[in-house]
Amino acid sequence: MYQPELETLPREKLRALQEERLRHVVAYVYERVPFYRRLLDEAGVRPGEIRGLMDLPKLPFTKKDHLRQNYPFGLFAVPREEVARIHASSGTTGKPTVVGYTKKDLGIFAEVVARSLRAAGARPGMMLHNAYGYGLFTGGLGLHGGAEALGMTVVPVSGGMTERQVMLIQDFRPEVISCTPSYAQTLAEEFRRRGVSPETLSLEYAVLGAEPWTEAIRKQVDEGLGVRSTNIYGLSEIIGPGVANECVEERQGSHIWEDHFLPEVVDPDTGEPLPEGKVGVLVLTTLTKEAMPLLRYWTGDLTFLTYAPCSCGRTHVRMGPILGRTDDMLIIRGVNVYPTQVEAVLLDIPEVEPYYQIVVRREGTLDEAELKVEVSEAFFQEIGKKALSDEVIEADHRLHALREKVARRIKDTIGVTMRVTLLAPGEAPRSEGGKLRRVLDLRK
Ligand code: ADP
Ligand code: K
Ligand code: ZN
């Protein structure tokens, strides 16, 4: 273990630590963040009333919309100059959700990722091939900092360029790889295509997360790369990857680093706390963050908790796999995408209407997204076609150019590649009173 004393803290001591930290963080945000002062005042909660975990349900939830409403720095609890780093993830309006870290927060981020890597099997001196994206996304820099803290040799390869990744893995001989599960599948497939057998690869462990995955994928990756893979979970609002990680011994649920992040599972409809083992929304309270602590953050991720002791010796609670989400967020190759983000892009292009559908398929190991969108009535008249088909579009440079333009704008603003299909006016699905299904996720 990276921090054996903390990771095996007896539960009653862990609870006392959590309660002390909870009292502190509630008072801290009440004093420093006007948003929280208002939120608690409106809920009629005085910080002093929150004495222990029993009082947690009195606190209102913090939701993603609150972060958007306070874009970019409104939830910071410290002066901007004390923020050492900023990260961000997608948001519905095209504005990202912004998060900040003090120096101390970055230390905690590295600490929980180091614990996670160690739980995943990594040890000091091993080499990490880090294929998470670097940038505003927390994956790349998050794993990087944790690996350095653990004392690993980090290869900051980032995402993409599979040919080069395959070469580097063979030449550098890393023991550990971190990436999305779908990318691990891609790499496994590429090795197979090249006739490289998993036994000849140096890899022993894979740390996979940022998108939902299954035991079937685990089996493919384990066999294809010759590794034991574990799940890493996290979200930028709470810190990034490293909120929880499976232990490589059991691989039966991910230990949530509870001395820093306080978990609850609540009913998606009523918000009532649910008993252990029941599936509901994971809600997390940060206990130690300085720059942007969040109280009862509604992750939207559906899972369950188990407090059963684990053979690895860690006492921290385990969460099950993410079984789904309560909102309409799609995760395409690890990137969070909201339909409304796509809509915002379409509203900016006069030749198309915001009548659209997003179809996501799993082709081979990768997510493939198709965007079906209607051209405007005016544009359709101007083109003078009776109907639109792939052949018609290929043959007409104006249609062809429009299709490229939509694809490029989507890629540039949201960061995902979508195959664009142009529809004639009236062809996209319309709501018939009920909830319009703008997203067709055919991956499950
Ligand atoms: P991350 O860097 O972890 O992808 P984001 O803030 O971009 O952070 O996205 C967070 C969301 O990604 C989570 O709320 C969850 O829906 C999804 N996610 C992250 N890790 C996992 C995982 N291991 N399994 C399933 N979903 C995950
Ligand atoms: K994600
Ligand atoms: Zn364990």
Side-chain angles (χ1 to χ4, degrees):
M1 290 179 211
Y2 180 64
Q3 292 168 312
E5 208 171 302
L6 289 169
E7 293 174 54
T8 63
L9 207 61
R11 286 216 60 92
E12 57 290 3
K13 286 204 174 141
L14 189 53
R15 184 181 175 121
L17 183 64
Q18 289 175 324
E19 298 197 320
E20 179 196 318
R21 289 179 169 176
L22 177 65
R23 286 191 290 272
H24 172 263
V25 73
V26 172
Y28 178 89
V29 294
Y30 189 81
E31 191 174 304
R32 288 169 173 247
V33 186
F35 160 78
Y36 271 119
R37 179 176 288 254
R38 230 177 308 120
L39 193 73
L40 295 194
D41 282 348
E42 275 163 20
V45 184
R46 280 171 298 105
E49 279 175 60
I50 309 300
R51 289 188 204 88
L53 301 192
M54 296 293 285
D55 303 316
L56 209 47
K58 291 184 190 162
L59 291 170
F61 295 111
T62 306
K63 300 227 168 155
K64 191 151 191 138
D65 264 340
H66 293 136
L67 271 71
R68 292 200 198 101
Q69 287 155 14
N70 289 283
Y71 174 87
F73 304 147
L75 292 185
F76 286 6
V78 298
R80 218 276 302 129
E81 308 83 76
E82 285 172 35
V83 174
R85 198 199 286 168
I86 284 169
H87 277 292
S89 78
S90 343
T92 61
T93 58
K95 295 270 192 217
T97 307
V98 178
V99 297
Y101 307 72
T102 61
K103 275 235 160 60
K104 182 170 164 241
D105 293 337
L106 289 176
I108 292 170
F109 195 6
E111 173 185 319
V112 292
V113 172
R115 280 190 205 175
S116 298
L117 282 164
R118 187 68 197 84
R123 287 188 296 277
M126 283 185 171
M127 186 187 288
L128 176 71
H129 180 96
N130 184 17
Y132 275 117
Y134 280 67
L136 282 176
F137 172 63
T138 49
L141 282 165
L143 266 292
H144 189 110
E148 282 188 349
L150 181 58
M152 300 181 76
T153 309
V154 195
V155 185
V157 62
S158 198
M161 296 206 277
T162 304
E163 303 249 315
R164 197 171 65 148
Q165 303 233 3
V166 158
M167 178 186 80
L168 294 180
I169 291 170
Q170 287 177 285
D171 294 346
F172 293 1
R173 303 194 59 75
E175 290 91 350
V176 189
I177 182 170
S178 49
C179 59
T180 58
S182 55
Y183 196 61
Q185 285 178 292
T186 300
L187 289 170
E189 228 172 40
E190 185 60 23
F191 281 119
R192 195 178 55 224
R193 211 177 54 78
R194 293 172 176 229
V196 178
S197 85
E199 299 83 72
T200 64
L201 292 175
S202 54
L203 293 171
E204 295 170 37
Y205 305 106
V207 192
L208 311 178
E211 63 186 11
W213 55 306
T214 57
E215 289 302 321
I217 297 177
R218 165 133 58 200
K219 190 160 181 285
Q220 267 185 18
V221 172
D222 281 6
E223 286 170 5
L225 293 178
V227 294
R228 259 178 93 73
S229 50
T230 54
N231 182 51
I232 186 162
Y233 170 83
L235 61 167
S236 49
E237 295 90 320
I238 296 303
I239 202 148
V243 170
N245 207 101
E246 280 176 328
C247 55
V248 71
E249 297 91 332
E250 284 291 332
R251 304 199 298 180
Q252 294 286 332
S254 308
H255 291 282
I256 301 176
W257 307 123
E258 270 187 281
D259 47 336
H260 294 296
F261 317 112
L262 182 61
E264 299 167 83
V265 165
V266 305
D267 184 298
D269 298 319
T270 66
E272 289 301 316
L274 292 174
E276 172 175 5
K278 287 273 180 297
V279 174
V281 181
L282 180 67
V283 168
L284 292 164
T285 297
T286 65
L287 293 174
T288 48
K289 268 174 71 190
E290 286 182 337
M292 207 182 104
L294 295 180
L295 302 182
R296 299 194 89 203
Y297 185 68
W298 186 277
T299 66
D301 292 319
L302 295 170
T303 188
F304 57 90
L305 298 176
T306 170
Y307 289 89
C310 186
S311 73
C312 74
R314 291 178 182 84
T315 50
H316 294 222
V317 67
R318 283 173 287 163
M319 59 184 268
I322 302 300
L323 303 168
R325 291 189 48 88
T326 50
D327 60 20
D328 51 5
M329 184 176 97
L330 276 167
I331 304 181
I332 301 172
R333 300 191 188 186
V335 180
N336 305 350
V337 181
Y338 287 90
T340 42
Q341 271 180 295
V342 173
E343 202 166 304
V345 172
L346 298 180
L347 281 168
D348 255 7
I349 306 176
E351 300 93 325
V352 297
E353 296 291 337
Y355 288 118
Y356 65 96
Q357 189 174 39
I358 303 165
V359 185
V360 193
R361 300 183 180 82
R362 183 53 67 98
E363 272 160 29
T365 62
L366 284 180
D367 301 328
E368 297 293 341
E370 179 187 8
L371 171 62
K372 298 180 174 183
V373 59
E374 279 182 20
V375 302
S376 71
E377 193 61 57
F379 185 74
F380 194 60
Q381 296 293 338
E382 194 186 312
I383 297 286
K385 302 281 193 244
K386 284 206 189 63
L388 296 183
S389 65
D390 277 353
E391 296 77 55
V392 171
I393 293 166
E394 283 306 331
D396 188 301
H397 70 93
R398 289 165 302 179
L399 286 166
H400 197 252
L402 176 58
R403 195 172 60 182
E404 300 297 298
K405 176 165 146 185
V406 175
R408 191 166 10 89
R409 291 270 186 94
I410 295 280
K411 175 78 189 167
D412 290 350
T413 39
I414 309 174
V416 294
T417 302
M418 292 191 175
R419 187 157 58 80
V420 175
T421 301
L422 297 176
L423 303 175
E427 281 191 347
R430 299 284 196 277
S431 168
E432 277 142 30
K435 207 167 138 75
L436 178 59
R437 297 247 308 171
R438 291 211 185 279
V439 173
L440 212 56
D441 194 342
L442 304 175
R443 285 174 296 188
K444 287 144 205 159

